């Protein structure tokens, strides 16, 4: 889940590589490095532990790095701690440098074989075996492309690599299996990167590599071949990403920007998909109606925040009689499956590159699940390419590691799917008209929820010295409590746990004292009275509660109970609205604690390792 970028350019490549790395920093940020083939045909390499800012400091100390061919990397450590020694690019001797995003599963076996050949290792990474392997093939007379082809044939695992050699200074070879890699087409220049955003300042035109592709950028030409050297033809794609969409603008952090973009993002997700009181089913793509006609149940698969969106949606589907299972993608492999007839797989993912979700999708195909639909935010992602049906969340780029607008737009998109499938399970036109009306009102309700920020900022101050917090919710709001706890953990490093409110008395109530903040969401729904009982159970034990409540829920400030009223909202879309104050709470606690909000420690935006 690192980020890689490389180029064969007309002028010095260093600024381009650094710009690309900064745009990829969301993929990992515990160390970084750059290697350039300099004007004396030597590899200049600079690496540093820490974020790209540390690399820039190291570069300013090491002096100019002229050269038109180079590769760069920002790391999320897997094998070996985030030290300079383990930072990429890795080299074999003085002439070959390589960057890799992925994990080489058979690295131990390759390492032993290479040691037997007298090779010494400089790092603790799994990547170093790749560069050594390539070097061995070059030593026996192969050129860079042929050496990479031989090497990828023995690699197991998921990876995307970029390699340069002083033997062929105007050449850059890339390869992918599992991890993403795109090829940027410039004017007399060519590039590779983990995603399009890395190259947005230099090109909008791309080839998206498929698994098993190897790209050879050589003397101004781009050739894509498979492992045996057979040419592969990939469509040229033009990115619609704009520099403005990924700019921070007036905000201090991307997370704040993305929280505040949610009204517009939801409106974009609905745009051209509803008309009058009806859903336009064509938005799911050609063939969707036939697939929905055959659907008897759905299996949602996702990770992290996207998984919580799935848990909310289960309540929505089941309300209209659509049987729905939801599973964490990384657990999908861990059990035997009795595959139901007519079961549609629905994957949820912001990035579309989460390897756990991708491999669970692959497993559903092996097992014979019917068809697949993805709800995803990145148009050119692997998940979009590998699914039968696609419903894009038009949230715009989400850069903050903590997912916010991706979550609320996923929920919005899931409401559209509820209608599409609900129609087949007896949803009436009156029901549909009600759901559409609620969706139309959503952007304004989101804007209203955002006005709670000043009140939330005050409350956030109560958290900065706390080590733990509990989040409570019931029904479709239990996943909202889970999401609130995840946001707080990620951004403030406060240990937070979420419970269905009725579960407290079965154990966790033992944790409650006046040092344990307890946060609850209280929509005005049929579970309200039971929730109120649970709130009283906490108060009776001296617990300090903060409750985000619908005014019609009639919950008011009392001793040990602070209430923030969220503008009234229909109970069915309330989860979308109640998520927003919890996002803002996490953000402001993180701000007070001074954490790195957009790049919390140990995490990465796009999780491309299993
Ligand atoms: O890109 P995806 O939606 O597939 O990512 C899934 C999770 O990695 C992601 O939601 C993660 O949990 C976020 N950091 C949560 O804020």
């Amino acid at each position: 889940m690192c980020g890689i970028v490389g180029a064969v350019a007309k002028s010095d490549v260093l600024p381009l590589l650094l710009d690309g790395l900064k745009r990829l920093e969301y993929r990992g940020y515990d160390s970084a490095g750059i290697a350039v083939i300099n004007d004396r045909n030597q590899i200049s390499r600079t690496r540093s532990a820490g974020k790209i800012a540390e690399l820039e400091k190291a570069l300013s100390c090491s002096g100019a790095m002229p050269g038109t061919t180079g590769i760069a990397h920002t790391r999320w450590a897997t094998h070996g701690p985030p030290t300079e020694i383990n930072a990429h690019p890795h080299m074999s001797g003085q002439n070959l440098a390589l960057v890799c995003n992925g994990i080489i599963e058979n690295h131990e076996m390759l390492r032993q074989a290479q040691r037997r050949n007298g090779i010494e290792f400089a790092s603790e990474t799994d990547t170093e075996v790749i560069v050594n392997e390539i070097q061995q093939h070059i030593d026996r007379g192969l050129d860079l492309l042929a050496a990479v082809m031989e090497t990828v044939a023995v690699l197991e695992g998921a990876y995307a690599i970029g390699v340069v050699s002083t033997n062929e200074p105007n050449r850059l070879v890339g390869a992918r299996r599992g991890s993403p890699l795109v090829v940027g087409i410039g004017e007399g220049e060519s590039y590779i990167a983990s995603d399009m955003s890395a190259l947005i300042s230099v090109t909008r035109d791309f080839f998206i590599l498929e698994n098993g592709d190897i790209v050879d950028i050589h003397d101004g030409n781009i050739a894509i071949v498979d492992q045996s050297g057979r040419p592969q033809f990939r469509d040229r794609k033009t990115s619609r990403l704009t520099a403005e969409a990924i700019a921070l603008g007036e905000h201090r952090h991307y997370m704040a920007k993305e929280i505040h973009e949610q009204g517009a993002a939801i409106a974009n997700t609905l745009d051209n998909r509803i008309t009058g009181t009806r859903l336009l089913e064509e938005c799911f793509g050609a063939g969707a109606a036939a697939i929905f006609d055959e659907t008897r149940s759905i299996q949602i698969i996702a990770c992290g925040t996207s998984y919580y969106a799935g848990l909310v949606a289960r309540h929505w589907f089941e309300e209209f009689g659509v049987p729905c299972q939801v599973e964490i993608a990384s657990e999908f492999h861990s059990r035997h499956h009795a595959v139901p007839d007519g079961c549609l797989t629905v994957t949820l993912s912001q990035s579309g590159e989460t390897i756990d979700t991708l491999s669970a999708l692959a497993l559903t195909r092996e097992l014979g699940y019917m068809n697949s639909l993805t709800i995803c935010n990145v148009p050119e992602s692997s998940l979009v390419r590998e699914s039968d049906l696609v419903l894009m969340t038009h949230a715009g780029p989400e850069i903050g590691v903590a997912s916010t607008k991706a979550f609320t737009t996923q929920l919005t998109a899931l409401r559209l799917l509820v209608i599409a499938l609900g129609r087949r399970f007896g949803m009436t036109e009156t029901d549909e008209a009600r759901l559409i009306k609620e969706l139309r009102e959503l952007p304004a309700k989101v804007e209203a929820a955002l006005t709670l920020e000043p009140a939330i900022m005050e409350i956030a101050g109560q958290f900065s010295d706390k080590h733990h917090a509990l989040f409570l919710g019931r029904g479709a709001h239990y996943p909202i409590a889970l999401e609130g706890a995840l946001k707080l953990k990620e951004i403030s490093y406060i240990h937070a746990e979420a419970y269905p409110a009725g579960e407290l008395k079965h154990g966790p109530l033992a944790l409650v004292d006046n040092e344990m903040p307890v946060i609850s969401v209280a929509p005005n729904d049929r579970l309200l009275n039971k929730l109120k009982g649970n709130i009283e159970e906490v108060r009776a034990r001296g617990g300090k509660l903060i409750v985000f409540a619908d005014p019609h829920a009639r919950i008011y400030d009392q001793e040990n109970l602070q209430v923030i009223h969220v503008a009234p909202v229909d109970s069915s879309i309330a989860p979308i609205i109640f998520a927003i104050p919890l996002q803002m709470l996490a953000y402001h606690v993180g701000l007070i604690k001074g954490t790195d909000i957009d790049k919390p420690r140990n995490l990465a935006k796009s999780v491309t390792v299993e």
Side-chain angles (χ1 to χ4, degrees):
M1 45 203 233
C2 311
I4 67 177
V5 58
V8 181
K10 288 189 291 194
S11 54
D12 280 347
V13 78
L14 180 65
L16 182 160
L17 294 178
L18 264 177
D19 183 67
L21 277 190
K22 286 179 192 163
R23 296 180 196 275
L24 288 174
E25 204 173 11
Y26 74 89
R27 300 179 68 90
Y29 35 79
D30 58 37
S31 54
I34 288 189
V36 168
I37 300 185
N38 67 25
D39 42 8
R40 292 177 315 247
N41 200 25
Q42 296 163 335
I43 292 180
S44 321
R45 175 175 66 164
T46 303
R47 300 179 295 170
S48 73
K51 301 201 167 86
I52 314 275
E54 298 304 316
L55 178 67
E56 283 183 298
K57 281 187 210 154
L59 283 164
S60 64
C61 298
S62 62
M65 220 179 180
T68 56
T69 300
I71 50 177
H73 187 271
T74 179
R75 181 169 186 244
W76 186 84
T78 56
H79 296 66
T83 57
E84 184 181 330
I85 290 291
N86 289 328
H88 300 215
H90 289 286
M91 292 178 66
S92 172
Q94 299 303 309
N95 299 328
L96 186 69
L98 173 139
V99 287
C100 174
N101 163 31
I103 291 185
I104 305 306
E105 286 169 4
N106 58 339
H107 73 102
E108 263 317 324
M109 188 269 284
L110 293 170
R111 184 179 285 256
Q112 281 167 20
Q114 291 173 5
R115 279 212 173 103
R116 284 195 294 275
N117 291 342
I119 293 172
E120 288 180 9
F121 285 80
S123 77
E124 299 146 274
T125 65
D126 53 334
T127 301
E128 206 179 341
V129 298
I130 315 177
V131 73
N132 290 338
E133 202 68 20
I134 297 172
Q135 184 66 60
Q136 293 187 98
H137 292 298
I138 290 176
D139 289 346
R140 59 182 186 87
L142 299 190
D143 70 5
L144 185 59
L145 174 64
V148 170
M149 280 161 51
E150 290 289 325
T151 298
V152 296
V154 301
L155 298 182
E156 290 170 15
Y159 54 82
I161 59 172
V163 206
V164 293
S165 161
T166 56
N167 293 351
E168 301 169 84
N170 295 318
R171 193 171 207 176
L172 164 64
V173 176
R176 76 156 289 213
R177 177 167 300 283
S179 305
L181 196 64
V182 301
V183 180
I185 309 157
E187 306 242 329
E189 316 190 320
S190 307
Y191 327 95
I192 58 168
S194 297
D195 73 21
M196 293 183 185
S197 74
L199 299 172
I200 208 65
S201 60
V202 284
T203 186
R204 292 194 176 283
D205 295 325
F206 294 90
F207 297 118
I208 316 286
L209 296 187
E210 298 285 346
N211 274 334
D213 284 353
I214 299 173
V215 61
D216 182 21
I217 295 171
H218 196 191
D219 288 332
N221 295 317
I222 298 172
I224 302 173
V225 295
D226 69 8
Q227 219 171 285
S228 315
R230 281 184 295 258
Q232 302 295 305
F233 300 98
R234 302 287 167 239
D235 291 341
R236 191 177 167 127
K237 306 261 183 201
T238 301
S239 168
R240 273 184 266 152
L241 212 57
T242 61
E244 300 75 63
I246 48 182
L248 193 50
E250 67 196 26
H251 297 277
R252 278 173 80 178
H253 298 100
Y254 281 105
M255 185 180 179
K257 177 179 183 238
E258 288 155 9
I259 287 173
H260 284 269
E261 282 172 346
Q262 289 179 105
I266 287 173
N268 288 340
T269 300
L270 293 172
D271 198 27
N272 287 325
R273 288 166 170 180
I274 51 179
T275 178
T277 58
R278 302 285 282 164
L279 163 75
L280 292 170
E281 211 168 88
E282 308 84 89
C283 66
F284 291 94
I291 290 175
F292 293 157
D293 285 347
E294 285 173 31
T295 300
R296 299 287 164 266
S297 65
I298 60 173
Q299 170 69 63
I300 297 180
I301 301 172
C303 303
T305 289
S306 298
Y307 168 67
Y308 297 149
L311 289 182
V312 172
R314 182 172 64 190
H315 290 266
W316 292 342
F317 285 112
E318 289 181 343
E319 182 187 342
F320 290 98
V322 184
C324 176
Q325 298 290 323
V326 190
E327 187 146 7
I328 291 181
S330 57
E331 284 295 302
F332 196 71
H333 282 270
S334 64
R335 65 180 170 91
H336 298 285
H337 293 261
V339 183
D341 278 346
C343 184
L344 176 68
T345 303
V346 178
T347 56
L348 307 176
S349 177
Q350 189 288 129
S351 61
E353 299 295 349
T354 302
I355 199 86
D356 289 326
T357 309
L358 281 164
S359 57
L361 173 64
L363 181 59
T364 62
R365 243 181 256 120
E366 274 170 40
L367 292 168
Y369 276 79
M370 189 181 78
N371 286 99
S372 62
L373 179 152
T374 191
I375 293 179
C376 185
N377 195 39
V378 179
E380 305 300 349
S381 62
S382 305
L383 213 45
V384 167
R385 294 201 305 277
E386 289 172 23
S387 301
D388 302 311
L389 300 176
V390 172
L391 185 64
M392 297 309 303
T393 48
H394 292 145
E398 189 181 72
I399 293 168
V401 164
S403 196
T404 52
K405 63 178 180 173
F407 181 64
T408 48
T409 53
Q410 279 170 352
L411 289 173
T412 305
L414 282 160
R415 289 300 284 177
L416 298 177
L417 186 60
V418 167
I419 298 174
L421 292 177
R423 283 174 174 178
R424 271 98 181 156
F425 283 76
M427 180 186 282
T428 63
E429 285 196 12
T430 314
D431 288 332
E432 179 167 341
R434 175 175 57 81
L435 265 63
I436 296 285
K437 178 171 171 290
E438 289 167 1
L439 285 172
R440 287 190 188 287
E441 288 169 2
L442 254 181
K445 301 269 181 200
V446 169
E447 297 306 331
L450 291 170
T451 64
L452 299 175
E453 193 158 18
I456 290 170
M457 282 162 75
E458 272 183 39
I459 281 190
Q462 299 169 20
F463 281 78
S464 46
D465 61 340
K466 297 289 185 261
H467 298 291
H468 309 277
L470 281 179
F471 285 72
L472 306 180
R474 271 184 175 262
H477 288 81
Y478 166 50
I480 297 304
L482 285 164
E483 173 60 3
L486 177 62
K487 289 287 92 87
L488 191 69
K489 278 184 267 212
E490 275 186 300
I491 302 305
S492 72
Y493 314 151
I494 292 173
H495 168 229
E497 284 193 69
Y499 281 95
E503 185 66 11
L504 267 196
K505 56 187 178 293
H506 297 290
L509 207 49
L511 293 170
V512 169
D513 61 17
N514 61 9
E515 280 302 301
M516 171 74 87
V518 181
I519 299 104
S520 180
V521 284
N524 182 29
D525 63 14
R526 65 188 172 81
L527 304 171
L528 179 64
N529 284 336
K530 286 192 191 304
L531 180 79
K532 281 181 172 173
N534 303 137
I535 288 172
E536 287 310 313
E537 287 158 15
V538 173
R539 280 187 66 226
R541 283 150 184 90
K544 289 212 156 65
L545 279 138
I546 294 161
V547 180
F548 293 96
D550 187 299
H552 297 136
R554 297 175 182 278
I555 302 177
Y556 303 105
D557 279 357
Q558 292 178 59
E559 194 186 350
N560 287 343
L561 171 60
Q562 275 175 281
V563 182
I564 296 190
H565 284 125
V566 177
V569 57
D570 294 304
S571 64
S572 49
I573 54 162
I576 304 178
I577 299 303
F578 276 85
I580 293 169
L582 301 188
Q583 296 168 347
M584 291 193 286
L585 180 65
Y587 175 74
H588 285 286
V589 176
L591 207 56
I592 293 168
K593 292 197 74 177
T595 58
D596 192 340
I597 288 185
D598 286 331
K599 300 186 198 95
R601 68 186 180 201
N602 304 337
L603 301 180
K605 181 73 180 160
S606 187
V607 183
T608 57
V609 292
E610 277 182 299

